[in-house]
Amino acid sequence: MSGVLIKLGKAEMEMKKRKERSWKNKGFSLIFSIILVFSILGTFVFSVARKISAEMSSSAIYNLSESLGLIKGTIQAILTKEAEFQKLLAKEITMIEEPEKFIRSYEKNRTMVRVSLIFSGETEGVSNIGDTFSEKELDFSAGNMVEGLPVSQSYINSLGTWAYTIKCPVIKDNEEIAALYVEYIYDSFDEALPGSFYNGNAMLYVMDAKSERMVLKPKGMGERTAGHLNLQDFYRANNIMEPNLQAEVAARMKVGKDIMFYHDIRDKDSLIYMWAVNGGGIYLVGYVPIEAIQQEGRAVNQNILIVVLVMLTAFLLCCLLYYLNKRQQDRVRRERETEREIHNKQLAEALQAAQIASKSKTTFLSNMSHDIRTPMNAILGFTTLLAKDADNPAKVREYTRKITASGQHLLSLINDVLDVSKIESGKVVLTMGEFTLNDLVSSVDAIIRPMANARDQNFEVDVTGIKHEYLVGDETRINQILINLLSNAVKYTPRGGNIWFRIIGLPQRSNQYEHIRIEVEDDGYGMTPEYLEMIFEAFTRAENSTTNKVQGTGLGMAITKNIVELMGGTIQVSSEVDKGSIFRVELELRIPEGETDREFWGRNGIFRILAVDDDAENCRNIQMLMSNTEVVVDTATSGREALCLLWQKMDTDQAYNMILLDWKMPDMNGVETAKEIRNTISDTLPILFLTAYDGVDVEDEICHIEHAGILAKPFFVSAFKEKILEINAGQKMENLRPEAAGQADLNGLHFLVAEDNEINAEILSELLDVEGATCEIMENGQLVVERFEKAAEGEFDAILMDVQMPVMNGYEASRAIRALKRRDAGEIPIIAMTANAFAEDVKDALDAGMNVHVPKPIDMELLKNTINQYIQRIK
């Protein structure tokens, strides 16, 4: 029995082996059958494909000739239209009284870049681009004609592109009175030519026949290869070096015939063509690979193959089932590899983008020193003067005012630097408020005049035609526009040059808006026409041996244009190299509502004034600005005339209450006139000297004249009112402003201060001391918490908390104080004082338990008002 079982087992094993061999044999047979079927099918398809390719090649060559003919016809049509239009233009010139003026004003376009006219009998003429034109620049010797008009040999024009000129006689009354020359560029052919030629496989150039130079490479006509500058370069680059062939080509080109021949180019059989246009004046030169010509034949062969493949689909599906599992695995593996590659590529792109962004921001912050140094220069300069004139209260107050104005401008610039995204995206928000042109001009003058003086430059300020001095707008942004324009004028003007700053009143379009033009002009280095086209783009600067020494970010003009347009205004610039530049900004600023304080003049005894200035325009401006005050303004243009008016009005009801006297006048200057008034007319009549200078020299000359002061030009009503108050009260306007009486008071208050910077701590301590308050300063948040915890209830009136400190920052310290188990821990005002001045910083301060946020640098008036708002003082 066991022997039988053993035999059965052996038989079963033998059967399995036979089945395996059978499956293997079937597999080999299947593979052999597939190979045989595909071999027979391939032989059939190959023979059919060759036959079709031969037939299609012949047809493709014919199509190539047709295509070249169409391109030739297109170019010929363009030349014909140009010639016909030029004839019409020449005919129009005969009917114009001033042809030269017409030519100069003719605007160029993308096709006609220069239009010139030479009168008969003359060798030179005029051009619409402003230069002197001569036919000597052109070569008409080739004899090319279009519609009977001579066509010049191709050349490279002033724009650096290939061009040609068509000459047309200007005939009037059957007599040639002039010749019209129009320069056209070959690049204009591009728009009329097909966008692609044999799917980009063919090569096509436009060649000037006489010079054999390639003057145009149309877009979409294959890739340009190095060396294709002229016909010989074309030969060398494509290894067409047979002398006989070149000689035959030259002979056919000489008589203006078309040429086509086969040649091997870069190991590819190709068809070279040279197609004559305009009687052989220019040629279409290029080649197309034979395989590109046969592409249509290959497409037919592919369609045949697809049909065959569709017929065998059922058979192939059965075979493919055998490999389905393996293919599925391969596909999954490839998909994972593809995903990994895509992910790696995205990571690389993200890294590159981050690096570019980081580099851009670093460059931006570094370059912003251009704009930051402008107000910083004024701050440092006036600080030096402040130390020098510390014993002169008037100068100390003046320097302090100018330092404050420069510091405010510097602060606005720093805010722009920190908020980079706002500038980069152009989303600058305007802060509208009421301001006076006097404050605006004074703050700008305080920054720019020291810069101009340091370079021995003459800086002149002129305000004319303004009807309303009080306006509504974003004073900081307008100030930024002026600083950008004027600081550039100073930097790009050589030593001893001139800079003019003008504010001009224009006719109002609406009674609610003042229409003004701001002009900044200099006689400096100037700018090229090329740079003028890109001056308002970010990070662009004029580049030459002179201006390269001037540092800057290249952002000033871009930001300026952005702000001007945000205000609804316009900015224009014109410039000539070595002659200077002028910027013009036009804005419409709203006139604030409300009546003029006319009672002011009566309260201060001002009913009639005399304005004396040798410039009549300045006198008219004073009358215009004072027109709403009910103050009568008489004018005189000389000292003699002023004395006559004073004599006439003296001891009458029309006597003058004040005199505005220009300091510098011909014949009798302001000082001489004032001395004559004191000697002969009045010892007490107030006199204000008008001067466009800083007043130092004037003070030295008028120090012996009683009841006299200085009023800076240009004249403004607000500045005039301040001087009147100063004269009447015997002190500066700052001490008499009505709002001063109600200012916040810190006298007797005691503060706990968190400040880790010693200099900032010293400044704050001194400022509080000036206000009559005391403080205890701790260098970190932990010490503040410990000191408050030990303090008696009510010992401190408030806590002034810095945010960024070591050990424990301001947020953590505020939370710790609010968490203390004592009654006043939740009530004592905590005021954040930090340079982190963005909206999110204010929110973080409030979330930490602070009452209010005051940004650095500290504005003492704001701090005083804030403290008094949150401190409940026990009377």
Side-chain angles (χ1 to χ4, degrees):
M1 184 69 180
S2 60
V4 173
L5 291 175
I6 292 172
K7 289 181 179 179
L8 288 174
K10 290 181 178 180
E12 186 175 354
M13 292 177 62
E14 187 68 21
M15 185 178 293
K16 288 183 178 180
K17 290 181 179 179
R18 288 177 181 176
K19 287 182 178 180
E20 290 177 359
R21 287 195 295 269
S22 177
W23 278 110
K24 288 181 180 180
N25 292 333
K26 289 181 179 179
F28 286 129
S29 299
L30 179 61
I31 293 173
F32 178 77
S33 299
I34 293 174
I35 294 174
L36 180 61
V37 170
F38 274 95
S39 297
I40 296 172
L41 183 62
T43 303
F44 173 75
V45 172
F46 180 75
S47 61
V48 173
R50 288 195 62 181
K51 182 178 180 181
I52 293 175
S53 296
E55 294 176 354
M56 294 299 294
S57 295
S58 177
S59 176
I61 293 173
Y62 175 77
N63 290 337
L64 173 61
S65 301
E66 291 293 319
S67 298
L68 291 172
L70 289 174
I71 294 175
K72 170 184 175 180
T74 300
I75 295 176
Q76 190 68 50
I78 292 173
L79 294 172
T80 300
K81 288 183 178 180
E82 290 173 347
E84 291 175 351
F85 178 80
Q86 191 165 339
K87 289 179 180 180
L88 292 174
L89 186 60
K91 186 176 180 180
E92 183 179 356
I93 290 174
T94 62
M95 296 181 289
I96 297 175
E97 293 182 0
E98 298 181 10
E100 291 181 327
K101 183 177 179 181
F102 173 78
I103 292 298
R104 289 193 184 97
S105 62
Y106 199 93
E107 294 185 359
K108 66 179 182 179
N109 53 46
R110 290 183 297 177
T111 302
M112 302 168 60
V113 298
R114 184 169 72 170
V115 179
S116 307
L117 184 71
I118 299 179
F119 287 96
S120 298
E122 297 181 2
T123 59
E124 294 182 344
V126 297
S127 170
N128 67 330
I129 63 175
D131 61 348
T132 302
F133 175 80
S134 174
E135 186 178 337
K136 294 179 181 179
E137 304 171 3
L138 307 173
D139 184 4
F140 291 93
S141 62
N144 298 325
M145 305 290 286
V146 176
E147 292 294 305
L149 301 182
V151 182
S152 74
Q153 183 178 333
S154 303
Y155 57 92
I156 297 178
N157 65 6
S158 59
L159 299 177
T161 186
W162 281 99
Y164 59 93
T165 296
I166 298 179
K167 176 181 178 181
C168 178
V170 180
I171 299 175
K172 184 177 183 180
D173 297 330
N174 297 323
E175 181 182 356
E176 182 176 342
I177 63 172
L180 175 65
Y181 300 81
V182 179
E183 180 183 280
Y184 304 90
I185 58 173
Y186 283 99
D187 288 346
S188 63
F189 291 171
D190 248 355
E191 296 180 358
L193 297 180
S196 180
F197 203 36
Y198 280 93
N199 296 323
N201 294 313
M203 180 67 69
L204 176 66
Y205 290 92
V206 177
M207 182 184 76
D208 180 76
K210 184 175 181 180
S211 64
E212 297 185 350
R213 295 298 296 270
M214 305 300 182
V215 297
L216 177 64
K217 172 64 170 63
K219 297 177 182 177
M221 299 301 183
E223 297 181 358
R224 183 190 298 273
T225 55
H228 290 189
L229 301 177
N230 54 40
L231 184 58
Q232 291 301 319
D233 291 336
F234 179 85
Y235 285 153
R236 285 191 294 271
N238 298 300
N239 200 27
I240 307 174
M241 303 305 296
E242 295 84 351
N244 295 336
L245 181 58
Q246 293 187 15
E248 182 179 354
V249 170
R252 295 180 67 86
M253 287 181 59
K254 188 174 182 180
V255 294
K257 291 187 177 181
D258 300 334
I259 307 161
M260 186 178 291
F261 58 92
Y262 289 95
H263 201 276
D264 185 27
I265 296 179
R266 296 179 185 82
D267 298 327
K268 290 184 180 180
D269 290 335
S270 302
L271 185 61
I272 290 84
Y273 49 84
M274 299 180 182
W275 227 248
V277 180
N278 193 34
I282 58 177
Y283 267 81
L284 303 176
V285 178
Y287 65 85
V288 58
I290 299 300
E291 62 182 17
I293 296 178
Q294 296 176 342
Q295 188 172 359
E296 294 179 359
R298 286 199 304 273
V300 174
N301 293 335
Q302 290 173 357
N303 291 333
I304 294 175
L305 181 61
I306 291 173
V307 173
V308 174
L309 291 175
V310 170
M311 294 174 61
L312 296 175
T313 300
F315 178 71
L316 292 175
L317 286 175
C318 295
C319 298
L320 291 175
L321 288 175
Y322 180 77
Y323 303 102
L324 183 60
N325 187 40
K326 188 174 184 298
R327 282 187 156 218
Q328 180 69 18
Q329 294 177 352
D330 291 342
R331 185 168 61 252
V332 172
R333 177 179 55 80
R334 287 193 299 269
E335 288 177 354
R336 288 178 179 175
E337 291 178 353
T338 302
E339 290 178 357
R340 190 180 298 110
E341 291 176 357
I342 293 174
H343 182 66
N344 291 338
K345 184 178 180 181
Q346 290 175 343
L347 288 176
E349 292 175 350
L351 176 61
Q352 184 180 9
Q355 291 173 340
I356 293 173
S358 178
K359 183 177 180 181
S360 298
K361 292 182 184 297
T362 301
T363 303
F364 175 83
L365 292 174
S366 175
N367 291 342
M368 273 304 294
S369 62
H370 164 286
D371 291 323
I372 292 177
R373 287 177 187 272
T374 300
M376 182 60 73
N377 177 70
I379 292 173
L380 295 176
F382 283 118
T383 302
T384 302
L385 294 175
L386 192 63
K388 179 181 177 183
D389 297 322
D391 297 331
N392 188 333
K395 290 187 177 180
V396 168
R397 282 189 287 270
E398 179 67 14
Y399 295 154
T400 303
R401 183 180 65 82
K402 293 179 178 180
I403 290 173
T404 302
S406 301
Q408 291 297 328
H409 176 60
L410 178 60
L411 181 60
S412 68
L413 289 176
I414 293 174
N415 288 337
D416 280 345
V417 173
L418 296 177
D419 196 2
V420 174
S421 61
K422 180 170 62 179
I423 296 177
E424 290 177 344
S425 63
K427 296 179 181 178
V428 180
V429 179
L430 298 179
T431 303
M432 309 303 287
E434 185 173 333
F435 68 95
T436 68
L437 286 179
N438 175 44
D439 292 339
L440 181 68
V441 173
S442 297
S443 62
V444 171
D445 186 88
I447 294 174
I448 299 301
R449 189 171 295 281
M451 297 171 56
N453 291 340
R455 295 171 59 87
D456 296 326
Q457 295 168 341
N458 180 33
F459 179 50
E460 295 187 8
V461 182
D462 191 19
V463 178
T464 58
I466 297 297
K467 296 181 180 179
H468 301 86
E469 178 185 344
Y470 292 86
L471 300 170
V472 175
D474 191 332
E475 182 180 6
T476 300
R477 295 300 179 188
I478 298 174
N479 188 288
Q480 186 175 358
I481 293 171
L482 298 179
I483 295 297
N484 279 342
L485 296 177
L486 287 167
S487 62
N488 278 344
V490 171
K491 287 181 292 186
Y492 292 101
T493 300
R495 300 185 70 86
N498 296 282
I499 299 169
W500 297 271
F501 170 36
R502 309 183 189 96
I503 298 181
I504 304 170
L506 301 178
Q508 293 178 257
R509 299 190 181 106
S510 168
N511 292 332
Q512 297 178 341
Y513 289 87
E514 181 81 13
H515 188 191
I516 67 172
R517 175 187 294 158
I518 299 169
E519 290 186 354
V520 175
E521 183 179 2
D522 63 72
D523 56 1
Y525 305 126
M527 293 172 280
T528 63
E530 294 77 13
Y531 178 66
L532 283 177
E533 296 179 359
M534 55 187 289
I535 185 174
F536 295 114
E537 298 179 9
F539 299 106
T540 58
R541 296 177 60 243
E543 300 291 339
N544 59 56
S545 60
T546 302
T547 61
N548 281 347
K549 299 178 182 178
V550 180
Q551 299 297 320
T553 61
L555 277 174
M557 289 299 99
I559 295 174
T560 298
K561 185 174 186 293
N562 191 15
I563 296 173
V564 169
E565 292 180 347
L566 189 63
M567 293 180 176
T570 61
I571 181 169
Q572 296 177 335
V573 57
S574 58
S575 180
E576 290 187 48
V577 176
D578 296 329
K579 291 187 178 180
S581 307
I582 180 169
F583 288 83
R584 293 184 176 91
V585 176
E586 288 195 13
L587 297 173
E588 286 190 296
L589 300 174
R590 189 162 60 84
I591 301 168
E593 299 178 358
E595 294 293 328
T596 304
D597 183 13
R598 299 181 179 179
E599 296 180 359
F600 170 86
W601 309 98
R603 289 197 306 268
N604 289 276
I606 304 297
F607 302 98
R608 182 181 294 270
I609 64 175
L610 175 62
V612 186
D613 196 314
D614 60 306
D615 188 342
E617 183 66 27
N618 290 338
C619 295
R620 284 193 294 271
N621 287 332
I622 295 174
Q623 287 180 319
M624 181 182 300
L625 289 172
M626 294 291 293
S627 60
N628 294 327
T629 63
E630 296 184 352
V631 176
V632 177
V633 180
D634 292 337
T635 63
T637 57
S638 69
R640 304 286 182 192
E641 184 181 353
L643 291 171
C644 291
L645 286 173
L646 287 168
W647 275 108
Q648 294 174 8
K649 306 292 185 180
M650 186 174 62
D651 298 330
T652 68
D653 57 356
Q654 297 181 355
Y656 297 110
N657 308 116
M658 182 167 289
I659 300 175
L660 302 180
L661 187 58
D662 187 21
W663 180 43
K664 284 194 173 182
M665 294 186 296
D667 297 330
M668 178 183 289
N669 63 32
V671 175
E672 294 172 345
T673 304
K675 290 180 179 178
E676 187 66 23
I677 292 173
R678 288 290 181 257
N679 293 331
T680 61
I681 298 177
S682 173
D683 294 333
T684 59
L685 180 62
I687 300 174
L688 288 180
F689 288 91
L690 299 174
T691 174
Y693 305 94
D694 56 12
V696 176
D697 296 335
V698 184
E699 287 181 353
D700 294 338
E701 292 200 32
I702 71 170
C703 60
H704 301 298
I705 301 176
E706 296 182 355
H707 302 287
I710 299 172
L711 185 61
K713 286 185 177 181
F715 174 85
F716 289 107
V717 175
S718 58
F720 185 33
K721 291 169 69 175
E722 289 184 6
K723 283 296 179 181
I724 292 173
L725 290 174
E726 178 184 334
I727 292 174
N728 289 350
Q731 57 183 356
K732 296 292 184 180
M733 177 61 184
E734 286 78 357
N735 298 328
L736 290 177
R737 287 180 178 171
E739 62 267 21
Q743 288 180 343
D745 183 16
L746 303 184
N747 187 42
L749 297 181
H750 187 51
F751 300 100
L752 179 58
V753 178
E755 177 59 72
D756 63 317
N757 186 284
E758 293 183 4
I759 295 178
N760 290 343
E762 182 179 355
I763 293 174
L764 180 59
S765 177
E766 292 294 332
L767 290 174
L768 291 174
D769 184 63
V770 170
E771 300 296 333
T774 58
C775 66
E776 290 186 32
I777 299 176
M778 303 295 166
E779 62 184 16
N780 61 62
Q782 181 65 45
L783 296 177
V784 171
V785 176
E786 294 174 357
R787 179 66 181 88
F788 179 75
E789 193 172 10
K790 296 177 182 179
E793 185 172 326
E795 181 178 350
F796 296 109
D797 295 288
I799 299 175
L800 307 181
M801 184 76 73
D802 190 16
V803 171
Q804 293 186 354
M805 295 182 294
V807 185
M808 179 184 288
N809 63 36
Y811 300 138
E812 296 169 346
S814 299
R815 294 189 182 96
I817 291 173
R818 295 304 187 203
L820 293 176
K821 295 181 179 179
R822 49 185 290 174
R823 187 184 65 83
D824 59 344
E827 298 176 357
I828 186 168
I830 302 178
I831 300 172
M833 295 195 310
T834 172
N836 301 340
F838 294 110
E840 57 269 24
D841 301 313
V842 177
K843 182 178 182 300
D844 291 341
L846 298 178
D847 292 343
M850 302 184 191
N851 297 85
V852 68
H853 178 283
V854 176
K856 289 183 179 179
I858 297 300
D859 183 334
M860 203 58 197
E861 292 301 322
L862 175 62
L863 180 61
K864 288 162 60 178
N865 291 330
T866 302
I867 290 173
N868 277 271
Q869 181 181 357
Y870 283 91
I871 293 179
Q872 300 296 327
R873 304 185 64 183
I874 300 175
K875 301 295 183 180

